[in-house]
Amino acid sequence: MKNKILRIALMVSGRGSNMQVIIENIKKKKIPGAEVCLVVSDQIRAEALITAKEYGISAQYIDPGPFKTKFDEAGENRYIRALQDARTDLICLAGFMRMIKSRLLAAFKGRIINIHPSLLPAFPGLHAQRQALSAQAGCSGCTVHFIDAGMDTGKIIGQTRVPVLPGDTESSLSKRILEQEHILYSRVIAQICSGEITFPEK
Ligand code: GRF
């Protein structure tokens, strides 16, 4: 990736705090060699879309189809087209609440990463922080990983540990993990830009 500006598309569904930190860090040159070429959301009212537009970034809702947690074929094709039209090099899922499978995965093979609020492989899927508390884990954290066809199973490329403290609630633990997500995600993207982390073989 060296010497080339990495064009990043961010896929979001809600609040967009990870997205915002990435945009800010690119703006402040803390992630050198990257630009955000597109923000796409599967939720028409995602706060993240408003935030991205405030930064002057091209941001759009794209209809994913009728299902709640996956794309239908036409919806998936709409995403692929928009991402290809934006000449996307890297897709960063940032709170995107939908499984990425088959065609989209194939169109951007090895070029989709995600952040997850646990130390994978522990606590994949929804409510990772709640899972950590129920399991009485002494430690949780966050993970950045490449996306494959499984649920949070792709190759891990960055992790930060966050202790679970006595008296922690889902909300307090989520907040402390989120602070670390914000640091970790930008660090991993910067390592991709510098060539320190390489894309898996196609
Ligand atoms: C984060 O905790 C992320 O790990 C998970 O969804 C949350 C998104 O938060 N996948 P935000 O939209 O980035 O604020």
Side-chain angles (χ1 to χ4, degrees):
M1 267 305 127
K2 267 185 186 160
N3 304 324
K4 179 184 182 290
I5 296 288
L6 190 79
R7 293 174 65 81
I8 296 175
L10 291 152
M11 293 178 67
V12 294
S13 296
R15 179 177 57 186
S17 70
N18 277 289
M19 173 204 78
Q20 186 169 5
V21 172
I22 292 166
I23 293 171
E24 276 288 335
N25 282 337
I26 289 176
K27 225 174 114 182
K28 291 179 189 151
K29 309 270 182 239
K30 289 187 182 166
I31 307 178
E35 67 186 355
V36 177
C37 59
L38 183 66
V39 170
V40 284
S41 171
D42 61 344
Q43 300 298 324
I44 199 159
R45 281 178 232 294
E47 208 184 317
L49 284 176
I50 300 168
T51 309
K53 284 178 189 160
E54 285 168 359
Y55 281 94
I57 288 167
S58 163
Q60 50 177 294
Y61 161 74
I62 301 180
D63 179 3
F67 306 116
K68 227 178 151 194
T69 57
K70 62 176 185 179
F71 295 102
D72 71 353
E73 195 179 320
E76 194 172 36
N77 285 336
R78 283 190 283 276
Y79 276 75
I80 294 171
R81 205 169 316 123
L83 291 159
Q84 286 176 339
D85 286 351
R87 292 181 287 119
T88 302
D89 296 313
L90 173 70
I91 298 174
C92 296
L93 306 181
F96 188 72
M97 304 303 286
R98 201 169 284 267
M99 286 295 283
I100 305 288
K101 285 199 165 169
S102 59
R103 296 155 87 94
L104 182 48
L105 200 56
F108 292 92
K109 198 155 190 284
R111 286 170 179 263
I112 310 179
I113 61 174
N114 180 44
I115 186 143
H116 182 79
S118 78
L119 283 182
L120 290 173
F123 315 127
L126 290 176
H127 309 303
Q129 303 91 335
R130 198 185 301 171
Q131 292 184 54
L133 289 170
S134 310
Q136 299 184 308
C139 194
S140 191
C142 48
T143 301
V144 177
H145 62 96
F146 283 109
I147 286 287
D148 65 11
M151 166 77 86
D152 301 323
T153 51
K155 184 182 172 214
I156 292 169
I157 42 177
Q159 283 189 314
T160 305
R161 299 173 77 82
V162 174
V164 179
L165 302 178
D168 251 341
T169 60
E170 190 177 352
S171 153
S172 64
L173 179 60
S174 301
K175 191 164 171 265
R176 285 205 322 284
I177 292 177
L178 189 65
E179 285 168 12
Q180 295 306 317
E181 290 182 40
H182 291 166
I183 298 167
L184 177 67
Y185 215 172
S186 288
R187 192 174 76 214
V188 168
I189 295 169
Q191 286 173 322
I192 291 174
C193 289
S194 71
E196 199 178 318
I197 293 175
T198 52
F199 293 124
E201 292 296 310
K202 285 194 180 182

